[in-house]
Amino acid sequence: MDATDQARAAAAVDEARQWDRLMRMAALGAIPGDGVNRACLTDLDRHARRLLIGWAQDLGLSVSVDRLANLFLRHEGTEPGLAPVLAGSHMDSQPNGGRFDGIWGVLAALEAVQALRQAGVATRRPIEVVAWTNEEGGRFAPGCMGSMAYAGYAPPETWDASTDTEGLTFGAELAKHLALEADIPRRPLGVVEGEAPFAYVEPHIEQGPRLEAEDLEIGVVTGIQGSRWFTVEVNGKSDHAGTAPLRLRKDAVQDAVRAITALNALMHDPEDVLRFTVARIEVSPNSSNSVAERVRFSIDFRHPDRTVLAERGDAIERVVQGAMTTCTAVVTERFNAAPITFDRMVRDSIEKAARAEGLGTLRLPSGAFHDAQFLSRICPSGMIFVPSRNGVSHHPSEYTGPAHLAAGARVLAAVLADLANR
Ligand code: HGY
Ligand code: MN
Ligand code: MN
């Protein structure tokens, strides 16, 4: 692969075309403040997938889905039998999300493949644009179900019983979704039923402040910190708020507050490296004059050091039980993604491509988890970050401008021209 082919592929990236596609996707699930709410396996998600499939078919890419509804758009190489290079991200958003998280990575991969084809840059290996199912975990916890199943990290049926706020299960919604996409050819599920890719590259917004603060265009991601998710269910007894004496109550809210306070102490970190979040709390019967009989709350705990993740994460059960005074508690771990370091080959290809484009680069770890965390278990993987305005994400004000997004797609096009010819 000579550098001119990489430069030709990059030069064929079209900033306006990519931005237009992004804004058309942002209209699917638009919420006030320029945000997006497009949960996985919904009609909105299916509408967005059909829009993407239409663009891919116009390019002559072949379309397929696996049994987790991961969506693949394939560009053939000159040696079709070779393991493909995958590039992409996710299309589902947070409920109060932005226009760029996930979906830009999928559209950047489409843009990079289109640029390669228009520049007439041949690749030995096939390239597959991928959209992973349920990366966010907003509707069905945990996140990354599609990529975890693809990478053989957990059996696909692990999450069938996960339910959304309407009581619908992931398994039922997935079956319904696959039936509605029955016209799309099926393919084996990743390494579970097929082959591992040669490499995986995920473009993504940084979702942090560093690139903007240092006025640099491309983040060369070195790795991803570890994440552990838990659900805590506190069970007490409902009672009349006006008559039940406090000394006789089994108040699930009061014991849940004690548990969260005790967990804050467990998770205290003067260096502010550790991330501990309780952001979903469900109370039943959720009536102001009936004592709460049940509280269910989420725990999202993250750290770059696997020893801290193990020690503090394994202490959660003991701390929650120790905080119970009148109620009982059940702690369930939902997600456990170890910290990972990305492969040098992909990282260096990204860095070299960015510098060849005259872009400023910064090596940095990711605080957010991504599908690349699981792909890195089965093939050399890496990520390309572009700046986030004010470092904001998972909020409607999330923003990255068209020029930065086009720079990211140019780097991806050059990296794909490189990796798909190795
Ligand atoms: O939560 C995360 O880190 C990712 O943005 N879903
Ligand atoms: Mn994301
Ligand atoms: Mn996200």
Side-chain angles (χ1 to χ4, degrees):
M1 168 52 46
D2 62 41
T4 48
D5 276 349
Q6 288 181 268
R8 284 192 307 112
V13 164
D14 183 323
E15 176 178 319
R17 177 171 62 200
Q18 178 177 248
W19 184 258
D20 172 62
R21 285 177 175 155
L22 204 51
M23 291 306 109
R24 289 183 60 191
M25 279 292 181
L28 301 179
I31 56 176
D34 282 336
V36 170
N37 176 11
R38 190 172 61 236
C40 74
L41 305 182
T42 57
D43 288 339
L44 272 177
D45 185 23
R46 283 184 280 276
H47 188 161
R49 288 161 69 98
R50 292 290 176 181
L51 184 59
L52 177 71
I53 288 168
W55 290 329
Q57 288 172 330
D58 291 347
L59 284 182
L61 305 185
S62 57
V63 182
S64 60
V65 292
D66 64 24
R67 62 193 175 97
L68 259 287
N70 296 312
L71 177 61
F72 299 83
L73 316 169
R74 183 179 171 98
H75 156 86
E76 278 310 342
T78 56
E79 299 172 50
L82 291 180
V85 175
L86 262 55
S89 189
H90 61 93
M91 298 177 74
D92 61 314
S93 80
Q94 284 285 312
N96 190 41
R99 293 175 289 175
F100 306 90
D101 178 0
I103 185 63
W104 172 64
V106 176
L107 294 179
L110 182 71
E111 180 59 37
V113 165
Q114 181 163 3
L116 272 163
R117 291 165 76 95
Q118 283 177 345
V121 173
T123 62
R124 291 180 58 230
R125 296 180 177 281
I127 298 170
E128 294 184 338
V129 174
V130 59
W132 302 108
T133 298
N134 189 27
E135 187 277 345
E136 290 289 0
R139 182 184 178 194
F140 298 107
C144 292
M145 287 183 185
S147 52
M148 282 199 282
Y150 178 94
Y153 188 73
E157 48 284 348
T158 307
W159 308 291
D160 281 353
S162 176
T163 52
D164 66 8
T165 50
E166 315 290 316
L168 297 170
T169 66
F170 176 78
E173 288 296 282
L174 177 63
K176 176 183 151 191
H177 178 94
L178 290 172
L180 291 168
E181 290 191 346
D183 58 307
I184 301 172
R186 288 295 183 268
R187 63 183 276 146
L189 176 63
V191 293
V192 181
E193 297 165 347
E195 58 171 2
F198 172 72
Y200 174 66
V201 192
E202 180 162 358
H204 204 286
I205 54 172
E206 180 196 338
Q207 299 179 299
R210 292 189 60 190
L211 287 173
E212 183 181 62
E214 302 194 34
D215 195 20
L216 294 167
E217 292 99 339
I218 298 294
V220 182
V221 189
T222 53
I224 303 178
Q225 72 174 340
S227 298
R228 293 181 75 174
W229 280 13
F230 299 80
T231 306
V232 178
E233 183 170 292
V234 178
N235 292 295
K237 189 169 79 58
S238 192
D239 245 325
H240 194 297
T243 56
L246 270 61
R247 70 180 187 288
L248 301 180
R249 289 183 183 185
K250 296 182 189 299
D251 187 330
V253 163
Q254 295 299 328
D255 268 2
V257 168
R258 288 186 187 93
I260 294 168
T261 305
L263 288 169
N264 285 333
L266 169 69
M267 297 296 181
H268 175 64
D269 172 15
E271 311 292 314
D272 198 8
V273 170
L274 185 149
R275 296 288 178 265
F276 172 70
T277 312
V278 175
R280 174 181 266 168
I281 300 178
E282 295 156 14
V283 180
S284 172
N286 207 26
S287 164
S288 58
N289 49 352
S290 294
V291 174
E293 67 181 358
R294 191 187 66 227
V295 169
R296 206 177 275 138
F297 67 85
S298 63
I299 292 174
D300 180 323
F301 164 45
R302 309 195 193 191
H303 200 278
D305 180 325
R306 61 178 65 236
T307 310
V308 174
L309 271 173
E311 283 170 2
R312 306 261 185 121
D314 292 353
I316 287 172
E317 168 86 46
R318 171 179 54 77
V319 167
V320 168
Q321 298 303 347
M324 294 300 109
T325 59
T326 60
C327 298
T328 58
V330 177
V331 180
T332 311
E333 183 155 24
R334 296 269 181 227
F335 185 54
N336 188 330
I340 60 110
T341 301
F342 283 129
D343 178 87
R344 281 181 53 94
M345 173 184 78
V346 180
R347 190 197 66 199
D348 293 350
S349 179
I350 293 168
E351 200 160 61
K352 188 164 144 273
R355 289 181 178 164
E357 286 294 306
L359 298 166
T361 63
L362 173 71
R363 287 190 183 183
L364 76 168
S366 175
F369 62 71
H370 300 282
D371 296 300
Q373 192 148 12
F374 299 98
L375 270 288
S376 70
R377 298 164 54 85
I378 60 168
C379 68
S381 299
M383 293 189 75
I384 301 167
F385 274 176
V386 291
S388 290
R389 183 179 62 189
N390 303 325
V392 168
S393 184
H394 285 196
H395 186 271
S397 63
E398 173 184 286
Y399 184 81
T400 301
H404 277 150
L405 297 173
R410 286 200 304 275
V411 170
L412 179 63
V415 167
L416 291 180
D418 173 22
L419 297 180
N421 281 301
R422 297 213 187 186

